[in-house]
Amino acid sequence: MITSSTNPRPADFADVRATNLAVVLRFVREHAPCSRADIAASTGLNKATVSSLVADLIDRRLVREIGLTENRVGRPATMLVLDGSPYAAIGMEINVGYITAVAVDLAGERLLSWRRSFDSAEPAGQGVATVAAVVRRVVNRMAKQERQVLGLSVAVPGLVDTAGSVRFAPNLGWRDADLSGDLAKALRDPGFTIQVDNDANLAALAEQRFGAHSGASDLIYLTGEIGVGAGIILDGRLRRGRLGFSGEIGHVQLDPDGPECHCGRRGCLEVMAGLGAVLGRDPSPAEIQVEIEESVRLARAGDPATLATLESVGRSLGQGVSILANLLNPEVVILGGYYVPLTPWLLPAVQDEMADRVIAAEAGGCQVVASTLGHDAAALGGAARVLDSIDSGRLPRVP
Amino acid sequence: MITSSTNPRPADFADVRATNLAVVLRFVREHAPCSRADIAASTGLNKATVSSLVADLIDRRLVREIGLTENRVGRPATMLVLDGSPYAAIGMEINVGYITAVAVDLAGERLLSWRRSFDSAEPAGQGVATVAAVVRRVVNRMAKQERQVLGLSVAVPGLVDTAGSVRFAPNLGWRDADLSGDLAKALRDPGFTIQVDNDANLAALAEQRFGAHSGASDLIYLTGEIGVGAGIILDGRLRRGRLGFSGEIGHVQLDPDGPECHCGRRGCLEVMAGLGAVLGRDPSPAEIQVEIEESVRLARAGDPATLATLESVGRSLGQGVSILANLLNPEVVILGGYYVPLTPWLLPAVQDEMADRVIAAEAGGCQVVASTLGHDAAALGGAARVLDSIDSGRLPRVP
């Protein structure tokens, strides 16, 4: 009569060790440099257990010793930091007009960050070949650094099911594309896992791990790309919904009498607060960056028409953010993509609408901020997803 | 750099035992009658551990033996079922016009179900006295059955913060009322925990434990009372948001040119799809039940005006449900309260709107159904919340 997911699973002793390895790894990630005694004191694990777990992590080259410290009470202790020099996590984003690739080491340090143009008018099949070529170059670069690739996650702007199939990516024109399977084939079984995910979902994971609000356990990321989507983190985890299709805020209707949207409906968030609304027309992918910069320049110069447009876009965006705040009571909503440089002009109207529309006092404590991760957020989130699986106990084998 | 909630906590051995006691209790709840060997086989715990855990649960009178079975391969085994005869969990709901109280035993069997009228024009202080009187009667009844009260959870239609304070319950006229504290005082420290929660949240917990879709891990309950609110279960757990204010769908705006709402805004879900829209005006609490029955009678008789009203309400409700389906991709949205008898006439329009508005094919697999728990849902959910805390390892002491 009750669902299994509300209740704890049994903890047997193999589980306990895997769990505890992950706990120690995470403690070192957050508190390095730290000693074995620090770990024991903070986690409640006994010292012998900690020593054994640390030895295992050192064998796997996930943690290393950096010598003694004497700056503390008691006898000097050997300090530990994350190692991870033999590893790399790869994240990519495929979007209208561009492909982004990043690689990070176990500590999240950026190893590379590439961006190239991508003709999103290509059919999905050709797209796979283009993406696979980029992956091969990244993997080769990592191999030269003698790094083992821990995994690859690819962000796509659209509905991605929990098995990693792209069910519908309207702005790429893709439908029912098994991107992870096709990439694995194109890469001839590369020996690391390949995952595909929604761009907003991965950007939210990037914010959680690398962003300025990484401590927030209820965080929503809004993509400001050609499409507008939400990545929803509640109680510290991404919430994908039953089939993986959560976060589709772009076509929530704000006004039944609003302007017509590409989707055929009227007054969707995307048509009222998306790039088209900012720029006054649909730009070609190659021009967006330049045109947004021009909008910023005009806004800075106090151009009345630009300011009026941004205020109007901000009001619609505020209406959308208010829906999120009322339904989910997040701690922070992070505006990403092209919203980032526009945030100073959007924010007053957004906050105004929230003050009016959110039922809880002071918008339920919900802040709205610009992302600090820029256009790399989704790709970085791909790398974050790979690191997340390490941190939750799927450790790589001893290299 | 990463949040602690994305990662496992250390599992020490005291934790392991508490976790495993809860696992065994839950297994018995789901699979009784079952043997110790069944438990060992399914949970992966070894037989000696299971025997020790079961002995502990029997000592606490949470589990009992019911003799041998021979209907199985191998030697006869002693079968176990939930006991719980010495326990009761109490749930209550305070709403416009009524108070509901239920008590259930550990297995969820109903021990009592009371409903009385409640003058919600009373100030909160007087309300507390009324509620406390009901609680005292329930506790006395349980004492006569020699049952220990495991806890009490009270549902309120409004914003309840995570500490259990009622921040704002517009339809009761309450603001910043420390209901759990005031109740504890009025009951003179009754020796069990008192929790206060939002009505939609508790109703969602009731659906998860007692409802027809109890297996769904992504489930949303919509209250159909004087107010409309949502209880949101994602990945098997209630998602309250940062301060506990999630689920406020009632004043999400569907149409900026819609009718004026009590809140002063226009076109809110509550004014377009709430009781007032169904009945054509605001009924007094005492009349609602009769008037809803009259609507059902007229709809059944094919009255054109009633059918047109219900279709229009269904369209607005469908618009609200579509927002939930797009943002959260639930498996099921459950219509509660006064929506239940009206569902046959609301549903076609709801589904029509979802087919049009939800981006994922087939509404992302989201079903819409009527609650099977009727007006007891929120109170039952209070009892469910008490049982949830037992099932997740906060076991009562040996009685």
Side-chain angles (χ1 to χ4, degrees), chain B residues 16-41:
Chain B
V16 169
R17 186 161 179 93
T19 301
N20 288 346
L21 278 168
V23 166
V24 172
L25 180 64
R26 207 187 105 229
F27 187 87
V28 177
R29 180 185 293 288
E30 290 177 345
H31 299 95
C34 59
S35 69
R36 290 169 176 80
D38 296 336
I39 298 170

Side-chain angles (χ1 to χ4, degrees), chain A residues 55-117:
Chain A
D56 193 338
L57 293 173
I58 288 174
D59 278 351
R60 293 171 199 254
R61 295 187 59 191
L62 294 165
V63 161
R64 67 189 167 87
E65 297 182 333
I66 54 161
L68 299 178
T69 179
E70 299 189 45
N71 295 332
R72 35 171 64 218
V73 180
R75 54 184 188 140
T78 304
M79 301 307 273
L80 302 165
V81 294
L82 278 189
D83 182 2
S85 56
Y87 300 109
I90 307 177
M92 289 182 67
E93 181 187 11
I94 307 173
N95 213 321
V96 179
Y98 65 87
I99 291 178
T100 305
V102 302
V104 304
D105 70 9
L106 189 75
E109 289 300 316
R110 202 80 71 95
L111 302 171
L112 67 81
S113 182
W114 290 345
R115 192 173 172 102
R116 54 155 285 178
S117 67

